[in-house]
Amino acid sequence: MTGDGGVQSAADDQRLVEGTVLRGREFEPVEGRVVVEDGEIVAIEEESVESDAIVLPAFVNAHTHIGDSIAKEAGGGLSLEELVAPPNGLKHRLLRQASTEEKIAAMHRSLEFMAEAGTAAHIEFREGDVDGVKEIRAAGENVPVESVVLGRGSTDAMHAADGYGASGTNDADFERERAATAREGKLFGIHAGEVDSSDIDGAMDLDPEFLVHMVHPEPWHLDRLADAATPVAVCPRSNLVTDVGLPPVSELLERTSVALGTDNVFLNSPSMFREMEFAAKLFDVSATEVLRMATVAGADIANLNCGLVAPGRDAKLLVLDGDSHNLTGANDVVRAVVRRAGVSDVRDVVR
């Protein structure tokens, strides 16, 4: 179906995805088709097609906590520490009170929403030690979203997961966890600079694969970022809700790669459409840069072969309805995708 869907089968092992294709790292709009074989993009063919679809990479959400899906919009008016500080922040108390079945069911619903909203993968900082890792694996069964799970708590959680996700060096030094994660060759991420700058140097001393938040970097922290080329995952909607300030996204982008995350589900919907629109309208960055933050930047952090429409990449594609009431007549396709598209514009997600 090309005129209204943009996706058609060409052979048993081949699919053609037609429309305006946002190609490569610059998301250059080209009319044509993406040729997919055995789940891999093998070619992008430029030519006139009948489809009005918009084809772009599916999203990679670079920072989530979906365990707290059990309590959406709980804790209104509380400070960040009251909301999420371990071990007795509201989130942690609610998680202890919830049954395993309740947590799995709630996470499953959030993952289903993410799948419908065009997310191919997310990087999850998972509370609950080994049991927490097992719970999100159970929640993700039969949901077409790849969960890159970073365990928290013991190093056993790291061994059961895809790496370790640390809370911040004001909570602990995390040197033992960092060393164990490095020995396993797994991903290590850590929160830094969310409330103030006091934990940034300690976090960077651990040589993490990426930092989360970086709302309050000092000039020397930005220099360290540039020297180490350490990526940052920013979560501006979450930072606004918790009243900690906003990250200096333009300055961060001048030094390193920056990815977008939606953070806690009990604070924000895990919608990358909403996160993109917020970032694009709040910060002095281009729509192309924001789309890069929502796709390939997160994929690069997690070592995933998606996030771009380019030959050799996994064919995890988002197909939008370019003739929807919301998107029809767009003069700048990339700006329209970033600043106004939403879940209602999704026609298909190719995986």
Side-chain angles (χ1 to χ4, degrees):
M1 52 181 181
T2 57
D4 59 356
V7 182
Q8 61 178 324
S9 296
D12 290 342
D13 61 347
Q14 187 180 83
R15 301 175 79 183
L16 305 178
V17 188
E18 297 188 341
T20 298
V21 180
L22 304 187
R23 180 174 63 184
R25 196 170 286 266
E26 297 302 318
F27 306 105
E28 174 194 10
V30 298
E31 185 179 4
R33 63 176 59 89
V34 182
V35 183
V36 177
E37 293 182 359
D38 297 324
E40 180 182 309
I41 299 170
V42 296
I44 300 169
E45 300 175 344
E46 284 191 67
E47 64 177 85
S48 178
V49 295
E50 295 182 1
S51 176
D52 51 31
I54 301 169
V55 183
L56 62 147
F59 302 125
V60 178
N61 189 334
H63 184 64
T64 60
H65 295 270
I66 70 165
D68 48 33
S69 299
I70 56 170
K72 299 182 183 75
E73 303 307 320
L78 298 182
S79 69
L80 177 65
E81 183 175 1
E82 291 169 326
L83 284 167
V84 301
N88 292 314
L90 175 63
K91 176 179 75 171
H92 299 279
R93 299 199 308 272
L94 293 172
L95 287 172
R96 286 195 293 269
Q97 294 167 10
S99 70
T100 297
E101 293 75 18
E102 288 171 332
K103 287 183 283 188
I104 291 173
M107 287 190 289
H108 179 84
R109 295 292 294 269
S110 288
L111 287 167
E112 287 280 16
F113 170 80
M114 292 163 71
E116 293 170 2
T119 294
H122 69 118
I123 304 175
E124 167 74 5
F125 278 42
R126 185 67 191 108
E127 294 85 0
D129 214 290
V130 174
D131 286 342
V133 176
K134 292 179 180 178
E135 288 164 3
I136 192 170
R137 297 298 192 206
E141 289 183 4
N142 302 315
V143 182
V145 174
E146 183 171 357
S147 296
V148 179
V149 180
L150 306 188
R152 308 179 80 181
S154 70
T155 56
D156 288 339
M158 177 273 295
H159 288 293
D162 302 301
Y164 194 90
S167 58
T169 56
N170 286 340
D171 296 328
D173 62 33
F174 293 106
E175 291 180 359
R176 179 172 175 270
E177 292 83 357
R178 177 63 181 118
T181 306
R183 285 195 298 271
E184 292 296 312
K186 292 186 175 183
L187 191 64
F188 183 90
I190 185 168
H191 295 74
E194 186 174 9
V195 176
D196 55 40
S197 63
S198 61
D199 59 355
I200 297 177
D201 280 317
M204 296 196 72
D205 288 345
L206 294 170
D207 191 26
E209 272 73 46
F210 70 109
L211 301 167
V212 180
H213 292 304
M214 289 295 281
V215 176
H216 299 284
E218 300 291 349
W220 66 86
H221 297 135
L222 296 173
D223 291 340
R224 289 192 69 179
L225 274 180
D227 290 342
T230 305
V232 176
V234 297
C235 309
R237 284 190 302 151
S238 173
N239 299 151
L240 188 67
V241 171
T242 57
D243 197 29
V244 297
L246 291 168
V249 171
S250 297
E251 294 179 26
L252 292 170
L253 282 166
E254 291 173 0
R255 274 82 171 183
T256 189
S257 173
V258 179
L260 273 179
T262 59
D263 208 4
N264 299 78
V265 171
F266 84 144
L267 300 178
N268 293 296
S269 159
S271 167
M272 293 299 282
F273 287 114
R274 289 190 176 187
E275 204 71 39
M276 285 196 305
E277 180 181 7
F278 188 81
K281 294 181 177 178
L282 188 65
F283 302 114
D284 184 21
V285 295
S286 70
T288 296
E289 193 64 75
V290 172
L291 187 53
R292 193 178 294 127
M293 291 164 64
T295 54
V296 68
D300 287 346
I301 288 173
N303 297 312
L304 300 174
N305 189 38
C306 59
L308 288 179
V309 184
R313 291 277 179 163
D314 293 344
K316 296 185 178 182
L317 305 173
L318 176 56
V319 183
L320 302 181
D321 181 1
D323 193 40
S324 69
H325 295 313
N326 186 37
L327 295 179
T328 188
N331 288 323
D332 185 320
V333 175
V334 176
R335 278 176 60 89
V337 167
V338 168
R339 298 168 69 94
R340 67 172 55 241
V343 177
S344 64
D345 300 305
V346 175
R347 274 188 184 168
D348 196 5
V349 184
V350 179
R351 305 179 192 274

